[in-house]
C-alpha cells in the first residue's frame, strides 16, 4: 500500500490534503461527500493560518476543519489532482483504502489565481455572481477584434469560447503562463457551484453571433 497523502477529518465528515500552489506556498483542499464545491484555503506564510478562498462557505468548511487538516497533513507529500468525486464510503473507510479510489492528475491551480477571478465578480453581498461574470466576458467578446475575426471566419463555438475565457483569466490574474489545463480546472471549480452552468449566457451569445454571421 502506498503511503497516503489524504487524511480523514473528525471535525466534519470530509477528507483533506495539501496542495502546492503554483505561485508558491501551500494550500489545503477539503472534500465533503454532500457538497460538490470543495473547500479551498491557502496557508499564510506570515501567520501559518489557513485563509479560505472567497467563495468557500465557512459554515460547511469551518476554520477548525482547516486547522485540523493542516495538523494532520504536516510532513505529508503534496497531492496534485484535477477532479474528485468523494463518497460517503471514502469518508467512512480508512484513508489508506480510499486513497486508491482518487484519481491523480498533474494540474495544479494557484489559490491566488482562482481567488482573483472569484473576487472580481462578487456582488454587493459578497457572493460570486455568474451574471456579472458573463456580462464581463460577453463585453470582452464583443469588443475583441480577434473574436470578431474568428466569428467572421466561422470558427467553432468551442474555439471562440476557449479564446475568450483564456484571455480573461490571464488578464484578471495577471498570469500569462496559465495553461489550458489550469484554465479548464478553474472553470470546473466555478462550474461546480452553478446549477445552470457558469458560462451559459456566454455560450448562448457566441452561438447567436455565429448565427448572425451566416445571414
Amino acid at each position: 500500500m502506498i503511503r497516503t497523502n489524504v487524511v480523514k477529518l473528525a471535525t466534519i465528515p470530509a477528507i483533506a490534503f495539501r496542495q502546492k500552489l503554483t505561485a508558491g506556498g501551500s494550500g489545503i483542499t477539503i472534500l465533503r461527500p454532500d457538497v460538490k464545491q470543495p473547500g479551498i484555503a491557502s496557508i499564510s506564510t506570515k501567520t501559518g493560518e489557513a485563509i479560505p478562498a472567497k467563495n468557500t462557505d465557512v459554515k460547511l468548511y469551518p476554520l477548525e476543519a482547516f486547522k485540523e487538516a493542516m495538523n494532520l497533513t504536516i510532513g505529508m507529500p503534496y497531492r496534485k489532482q484535477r477532479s474528485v468525486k468523494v463518497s460517503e464510503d471514502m469518508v467512512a473507510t480508512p484513508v489508506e483504502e480510499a486513497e486508491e479510489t482518487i484519481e491523480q492528475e498533474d494540474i495544479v491551480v494557484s489559490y491566488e489565481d482562482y481567488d482573483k477571478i472569484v473576487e472580481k465578480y462578487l456582488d454587493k453581498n459578497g457572493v460570486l455572481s455568474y451574471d456579472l461574470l458573463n456580462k464581463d466576458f460577453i463585453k470582452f467578446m464583443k469588443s475583441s477584434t480577434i473574436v470578431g475575426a474568428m466569428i467572421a471566419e466561422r470558427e467553432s463555438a468551442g474555439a471562440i469560447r476557449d479564446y475568450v475565457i483564456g484571455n480573461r483569466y490571464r488578464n484578471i490574474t495577471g498570469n500569462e503562463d496559465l495553461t489550458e489545463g489550469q484554465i479548464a480546472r478553474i472553470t470546473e471549480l466555478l462550474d461546480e457551484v452553478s446549477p445552470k452552468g457558469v458560462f451559459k449566457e456566454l455560450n448562448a451569445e457566441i452561438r447567436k453571433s455565429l448565427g448572425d454571421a451566416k445571414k
Side-chain angles (χ1 to χ4, degrees):
M1 184 66 64
I2 299 174
R3 179 173 177 263
T4 181
N5 53 7
V6 176
V7 298
K8 183 172 66 175
L9 303 182
T11 310
I12 58 174
I15 59 173
F17 54 87
R18 288 203 179 213
Q19 186 174 8
K20 190 172 182 61
L21 306 178
T22 56
S26 299
I28 293 288
T29 297
I30 300 177
L31 303 171
R32 294 180 57 132
D34 55 338
V35 182
K36 289 184 177 180
Q37 174 71 6
I40 301 173
S42 65
I43 300 176
S44 172
T45 56
K46 294 182 179 179
T47 66
E49 297 180 350
I51 305 174
K54 294 293 183 182
N55 68 331
T56 291
D57 190 337
V58 293
K59 292 181 180 179
L60 295 171
Y61 300 101
L63 287 175
E64 290 76 9
F66 282 110
K67 290 179 181 178
E68 181 188 9
M70 289 169 59
N71 290 332
L72 292 176
T73 58
I74 289 176
M76 286 186 175
Y78 294 109
R79 171 177 283 279
K80 296 180 181 181
Q81 68 187 65
R82 189 167 181 267
S83 182
V84 170
K85 290 184 178 180
V86 59
S87 66
E88 295 282 358
D89 290 339
M90 289 174 66
V91 174
T93 305
V95 176
E96 288 77 6
E97 295 180 22
E99 173 79 5
E100 296 180 349
T101 69
I102 300 179
E103 179 182 350
Q104 295 192 41
E105 296 280 349
D106 289 332
I107 298 174
V108 179
V109 173
S110 165
Y111 164 87
E112 288 84 354
D113 289 340
Y114 177 68
D115 208 37
K116 284 177 183 177
I117 294 170
V118 171
E119 188 170 9
K120 181 173 178 61
Y121 301 110
L122 297 178
D123 63 18
K124 61 182 181 180
N125 296 316
V127 177
L128 178 62
S129 170
Y130 298 99
D131 183 54
L132 292 176
L133 185 150
N134 275 272
K135 284 181 178 178
D136 180 62
F137 278 54
I138 290 171
K139 180 180 178 181
F140 167 76
M141 184 194 96
K142 291 184 175 180
S143 65
S144 170
T145 55
I146 293 177
V147 173
M150 293 175 76
I151 292 172
E153 294 172 5
R154 305 277 184 86
E155 294 206 27
S156 69
I160 295 171
R161 177 180 182 275
D162 288 347
Y163 174 80
V164 172
I165 293 174
N167 187 287
R168 290 302 293 136
Y169 282 178
R170 293 185 178 106
N171 182 266
I172 293 167
T173 62
N175 183 2
E176 293 296 327
D177 296 324
L178 278 177
T179 67
E180 295 304 315
Q182 288 171 323
I183 289 168
R185 178 56 179 146
I186 291 172
T187 298
E188 286 177 1
L189 287 171
L190 294 173
D191 206 39
E192 285 176 347
V193 294
S194 174
K196 65 178 182 178
V198 63
F199 287 115
K200 182 178 180 180
E201 288 82 2
L202 173 63
N203 290 332
E205 190 64 33
I206 291 173
R207 290 193 296 270
K208 179 179 181 297
S209 297
L210 286 170
D212 292 341
K214 293 179 181 180
K215 297 177 181 178

